[in-house]
Amino acid sequence: MKKDIILSGVGGQGILTIATIIGDAAAVAGLSLKQAEVHGMSQRGGDVQSNLRLSTEDIYSDLIKQGAADMIISMEPMEALRYLPYLNSEGVVVTSSHPFKNIPNYPDEQALYAELNSLSNVAILPIEDLAKENNIPKCANIVLLGMAAPSIEILTPEQLRESIKRVFASKGEKVVEMNCQAFDIGLNAVKQ
Amino acid sequence: MISKRLLLGDEAIALGAIHAGISGVYAYPGTPSTEITEFIQNNAPEVRSRWCTNEKTAMEAALGMSYAGKRAIVCMKHVGMNVAADAFVNAGITGVNGGLVVLAADDPSMHSSQNEQDSRFYGKFAMIPILEPSSQQEAYDMMPYAFSLSEELKLPVLMRVVTRLAHSRAGVQVTTPITQNALNPDNERTHWVLLPGNARRQYASLVAKQPQLLTSAEESPYTKLHKAEGAKIGVVACGIAYNYVMENEPLKRGISVLKVSQYPLPEKQIKALAAECDTLIVAEDGQPVAEEQIRSMLGAEYNLQGRLSGALPRMGELTPDNVGAALGVEQTQNFTAAENVVPRPPALCQGCGHRDVYDALNKVAREYADARIFGDIGCYTLGALPPFRAIDSCVDMGASITMAKGAADAGVHPAIAVIGDSTFTHSGMTGLLDAINDKANITVIISDNLTTAMTGGQDSAGTNKFEAICLGLGVEPEHLHVVTPLPKNMEEITRIIREEIEYNGVSVIIPRRECIQTLNRKLRQKRAQQ
């Protein structure tokens, strides 16, 4: 079994943390994995992406082929669309609804949502609002992970939750708790 | 004891080097190599690992450690090889004592660079072995191998990786570390003092070693042939290209694959594969280094395909898609590019001091029709983009000052240079000395954010020393200014810039304010400790 996931967003939104959690869960589960990311320039408010490949077999390429991605998980709606050529025909797109407008020529929002909604398997959720309402504004990225969890399949939500605990352990109990809460909020939001 | 760890390619290299018993890592930050030194700094306090001022000083210090009998690794991005080249090439002539590995991290597609030069040329140029891992595991395993090879051949060994390996994470089996070498300085002066007489002898020795290098590559455990029964098409897959080839299931398609991970190119295996097949495809990330050499091996008549023939793109990184296309694999694309997507380029952070510098500079430069602003490499290069559009050039580390001088010599006025603090110590000081000695009419702005920011906030070599350095080089005290780049100081700063442009001679203005990223990081760390 394999799962090819593209994670995307804007520098600083916590994409790579999501990748770290999934990667950690995969490693503990004994899966093969490769997770490619581009550092450097992306920190400065540019677009960020990570190619995350999980498999029960050996993996060769660090990069996902066009038309092969099973999922796009995005912190930002336009960034979700950027990788459309990589999505396979049954591919699932899970994205935040909140546009990050740090450029002067950001596309028309309605057109953006229309294009996203034209996809057959898409979930667009206001993760920032959900996070804020629950007093965990900095954990929007983990809410997104919770939303995406049921579609990941090669790992269970429980495995991901255990990984969250490990990854945030060094930041203290309170931080671990907040992120577990964020994960559950996302998980429940998508069940509805 | 064997255990598996999730590591970036860079981290696998770092851990491999630590486990191979290095005593020192010498490097200057540069994407995608930076994480190697950071990992060693954070995980091996017994290894000397302070950042160097530039790649040349790094290469030479590593050579010194090797001279003394201990193992050292030098790390840099591809363009860093250009800076290290003098010492690098001559290290092939002197040879080494303790094992010496030079790690070059190339950047095909120039994700964060000014070009996509291929460091394998340097290995060939210096006539030393090159290793090119295709996976994180291989990068780790190749480290002890590289150091042993270096000590056996008494030559430096170049290891070359690309961004997609350096910045990609995978599971790596790690093994037992070995201890560092003992102090054991080399006594053979004829090897190390490169007077012509000695150098000729050393070069003859290097030339005589070449067959040994070739045999080592041909017999390398990392050179592998996967034969497809009756295959008429063969692929020579170098380094990471091997992954992209294998992703496309060549054996099922009746295509043989020769994995190349050590150079000089294994001629024996390449010629054998060529003899069995009608067509050979060369898959390599970067420039057509192997393809050119294989063309020369097989002659003009052989059907050789690759980046030069158009089977693979001449420029940009390889992907499993373009390699698939070269192998005749049908390309899938369910969705074309989305309509409602625009580029999102990086920008200077909100609150960055460079922003205030460019605001001031733009204001003054507008008053002069012929002003030219020569930029340099760092976060401040982003000043070229909107909304600032402030710089006219950015070529290589330190070129801001020297190009400003050359342009001023030709008559350009005002000729202004903008350089960062780390870039200034890297290779700006020597240019400033030229300008002072020749009384050039330039205004130099050293935008000091007290860090090497673009690569993630590493220590900057000259922090707290810039005024002294400039005065020591000969900048006149009344034409050396330190300011704080904040909106409230705009009037003062623009006045100073104007005055110094009017002054016919070398002026240096140092706008100084800590990078907000490193500042915030320090505050977070402080809070965490409380």
Side-chain angles (χ1 to χ4, degrees):
Chain A
M1 188 193 196
K2 71 111 182 165
K3 215 61 166 174
D4 286 332
I5 303 170
I6 292 183
L7 297 157
S8 62
V10 183
Q13 288 188 314
I15 311 299
L16 299 187
T17 307
I18 299 176
T20 302
I21 293 166
I22 301 174
D24 178 87
V28 167
L31 292 170
S32 297
L33 96 118
K34 284 205 167 175
Q35 185 233 323
E37 54 200 43
V38 180
H39 298 171
M41 297 280 258
S42 310
Q43 285 179 59
R44 310 293 180 259
D47 55 296
V48 180
Q49 50 102 319
S50 177
N51 274 223
L52 184 53
R53 309 193 67 199
L54 309 172
S55 179
T56 48
E57 312 294 321
D58 284 335
I59 301 169
Y60 282 107
S61 171
D62 299 82
L63 297 177
I64 298 169
K65 290 190 87 170
Q66 288 197 350
D70 300 295
M71 285 187 83
I72 295 175
I73 302 175
S74 183
M75 286 294 292
E76 209 276 346
M78 184 178 78
E79 296 310 320
L81 282 180
R82 194 185 297 282
Y83 302 99
L84 217 47
Y86 288 88
L87 197 62
N88 75 30
S89 47
E90 273 92 64
V92 172
V93 177
V94 175
T95 177
S96 163
S97 56
H98 182 74
F100 193 100
K101 295 185 183 176
N102 64 341
I103 45 176
N105 56 335
Y106 196 90
D108 174 65
E109 266 176 74
Q110 296 316 311
L112 188 61
Y113 293 137
E115 200 170 1
L116 275 168
N117 281 311
S118 71
L119 301 169
S120 38
N121 294 314
V122 64
I124 311 171
L125 277 171
I127 50 169
E128 281 80 8
D129 292 339
L130 278 170
K132 268 190 211 134
E133 279 161 22
N134 289 277
N135 289 315
I136 42 167
K138 289 188 181 164
C139 303
N141 58 337
I142 308 299
V143 174
L144 182 68
L145 179 58
M147 270 173 64
S151 308
I152 291 176
E153 294 172 332
I154 199 171
L155 291 163
T156 64
E158 192 45 55
Q159 284 172 304
L160 292 167
R161 204 181 279 109
E162 286 307 304
S163 192
I164 289 172
K165 291 180 192 164
R166 276 190 302 270
V167 169
F168 287 106
S170 62
K171 305 236 161 129
E173 227 179 276
K174 186 148 196 297
V175 173
V176 171
E177 227 176 273
M178 279 180 0
N179 283 291
C180 285
Q181 190 195 350
F183 183 76
D184 290 331
I185 289 167
L187 199 55
N188 293 325
V190 94
K191 278 188 188 149
Q192 285 151 17
Chain B
M1 206 255 302
I2 301 187
S3 64
K4 213 167 188 184
R5 286 182 65 166
L6 208 52
L7 299 171
L8 288 175
D10 272 353
E11 293 170 339
I13 290 163
L15 192 58
I18 294 168
H19 287 179
I22 54 168
S23 301
V25 54
Y26 296 95
Y28 182 79
T31 306
S33 68
T34 313
E35 288 79 359
I36 301 170
T37 303
E38 287 184 330
F39 185 93
I40 298 172
Q41 288 170 337
N42 294 330
N43 290 281
E46 69 279 12
V47 174
R48 293 211 67 131
S49 60
R50 198 185 164 107
W51 290 108
C52 300
T53 304
N54 67 33
E55 292 86 348
K56 177 184 194 288
T57 65
M59 183 71 221
E60 290 156 351
L63 191 59
M65 181 166 271
S66 164
Y67 168 89
K70 294 195 179 183
R71 292 182 166 187
I73 186 171
V74 197
C75 308
M76 61 194 79
K77 63 184 294 171
H78 56 345
V79 285
M81 291 295 295
N82 299 337
V83 180
D86 200 359
F88 174 77
V89 175
N90 284 6
I93 309 282
T94 57
V96 307
N97 182 12
L100 178 55
V101 172
V102 180
L103 186 297
D106 290 0
D107 192 18
S109 281
M110 311 182 210
H111 295 285
S112 323
S113 305
Q114 298 73 45
N115 72 30
E116 56 177 35
Q117 65 181 65
D118 194 317
S119 297
R120 292 175 296 161
F121 279 113
Y122 270 113
K124 184 167 198 315
F125 190 47
M127 300 165 67
I128 62 171
I130 309 168
L131 295 172
E132 193 181 7
S134 47
S135 69
Q136 292 79 349
Q137 182 68 58
E138 215 161 66
Y140 174 82
D141 293 337
M142 276 181 169
M143 270 299 150
Y145 177 80
F147 281 103
S148 296
L149 185 63
S150 175
E151 283 169 2
E152 179 199 324
L153 293 170
K154 293 217 144 309
L155 289 176
V157 170
L158 176 68
M159 184 181 293
R160 183 246 187 180
V161 296
V162 297
T163 302
R164 295 303 187 176
L165 179 55
H167 285 172
S168 175
R169 215 169 253 113
V172 175
Q173 301 265 39
V174 306
T175 56
T176 327
I178 63 172
T179 52
Q180 298 183 21
N181 289 356
L183 179 64
N184 180 27
D186 202 321
N187 292 311
E188 270 307 331
R189 288 182 172 185
T190 57
H191 294 182
W192 292 92
V193 179
L194 296 183
L195 287 166
N198 290 339
R200 282 187 209 110
R201 228 175 295 116
Q202 287 300 101
Y203 184 55
S205 157
L206 179 60
V207 168
K209 274 183 196 169
Q210 297 304 299
Q212 208 182 337
L213 270 65
L214 178 59
T215 307
S216 175
E218 286 167 350
E219 294 175 0
S220 171
Y222 299 105
T223 303
K224 284 196 180 90
L225 176 65
H226 301 289
K227 234 165 145 171
E229 201 54 47
K232 284 296 156 196
I233 302 175
V235 182
V236 177
C238 304
I240 203 175
Y242 175 74
N243 286 346
Y244 302 142
V245 171
M246 296 307 281
E247 185 71 30
N248 284 285
E249 300 184 307
L251 300 170
K252 282 193 189 153
R253 298 172 195 279
I255 299 173
S256 293
V257 180
L258 174 64
K259 172 179 175 287
V260 169
S261 310
Q262 186 171 338
Y263 305 71
L265 286 167
E267 207 170 311
K268 191 172 71 186
Q269 286 95 330
I270 293 171
K271 283 183 169 162
L273 187 62
E276 277 175 26
C277 302
D278 297 327
T279 304
L280 221 54
I281 304 171
V282 183
E284 55 189 327
D285 214 357
Q287 294 172 308
V289 178
E291 191 179 343
E292 277 182 357
Q293 288 178 244
I294 295 173
R295 165 67 67 209
S296 160
M297 264 182 224
L298 303 178
E301 298 308 310
Y302 194 89
N303 186 14
L304 187 67
Q305 301 288 325
R307 304 191 83 126
L308 291 172
S309 75
L312 285 164
R314 174 61 182 81
M315 301 179 294
E317 63 184 350
L318 289 186
T319 66
D321 298 299
N322 56 32
V323 170
L327 298 179
V329 176
E330 214 179 276
Q331 300 304 292
T332 321
Q333 206 183 71
N334 306 294
F335 302 94
T336 50
E339 272 172 35
N340 292 286
V341 173
V342 297
R344 195 192 297 264
L348 292 168
C349 304
Q350 290 302 321
C352 171
H354 296 317
R355 284 178 168 261
D356 300 295
V357 173
Y358 284 126
D359 282 338
L361 201 48
N362 276 341
K363 203 156 183 220
V364 179
R366 264 197 291 275
E367 299 163 16
Y368 296 89
D370 305 314
R372 295 296 160 127
I373 301 172
F374 300 89
D376 224 304
I377 296 176
C379 276
Y380 52 94
T381 316
L382 295 174
L385 300 172
F388 306 101
R389 293 194 188 85
I391 64 176
D392 292 298
S393 78
C394 173
V395 181
D396 68 277
M397 294 288 282
S400 54
I401 296 176
T402 28
M403 280 188 71
K405 185 214 184 270
D409 289 350
V412 167
H413 177 75
I416 302 166
V418 178
I419 189 169
D421 51 298
S422 310
T423 315
F424 178 73
T425 42
H426 181 289
S427 42
M429 298 187 287
T430 41
L432 185 58
L433 185 56
D434 268 354
I436 292 161
N437 286 344
D438 203 16
K439 296 185 171 50
N441 188 7
I442 62 171
T443 304
V444 177
I445 298 176
I446 304 176
S447 193
D448 184 5
N449 57 3
L450 293 96
T451 190
T452 311
M454 187 53 111
T455 41
Q458 293 77 36
D459 288 337
S460 181
T463 304
N464 296 323
K465 298 179 183 170
F466 295 102
E467 287 88 311
I469 291 172
C470 290
L471 292 171
L473 289 173
V475 177
E476 292 153 303
E478 61 274 23
H479 296 289
L480 172 63
H481 307 268
V482 180
V483 296
T484 307
L486 285 167
K488 66 175 183 175
N489 297 332
M490 209 43 53
E491 216 180 288
E492 178 207 352
I493 297 174
T494 49
R495 177 181 51 80
I496 291 172
I497 296 175
R498 227 177 263 116
E499 280 169 10
E500 291 307 331
I501 285 176
E502 291 305 315
Y503 169 62
N504 189 343
V506 174
S507 313
V508 177
I509 303 167
I510 306 177
R512 174 175 296 136
R513 178 153 75 78
E514 186 162 14
C515 164
I516 55 156
Q517 297 287 343
T518 49
L519 185 61
N520 285 339
R521 196 190 306 164
K522 284 181 193 164
L523 291 172
R524 277 197 302 266
Q525 281 169 351
K526 216 173 175 183
R527 252 178 266 138
Q529 280 160 10
Q530 279 160 2

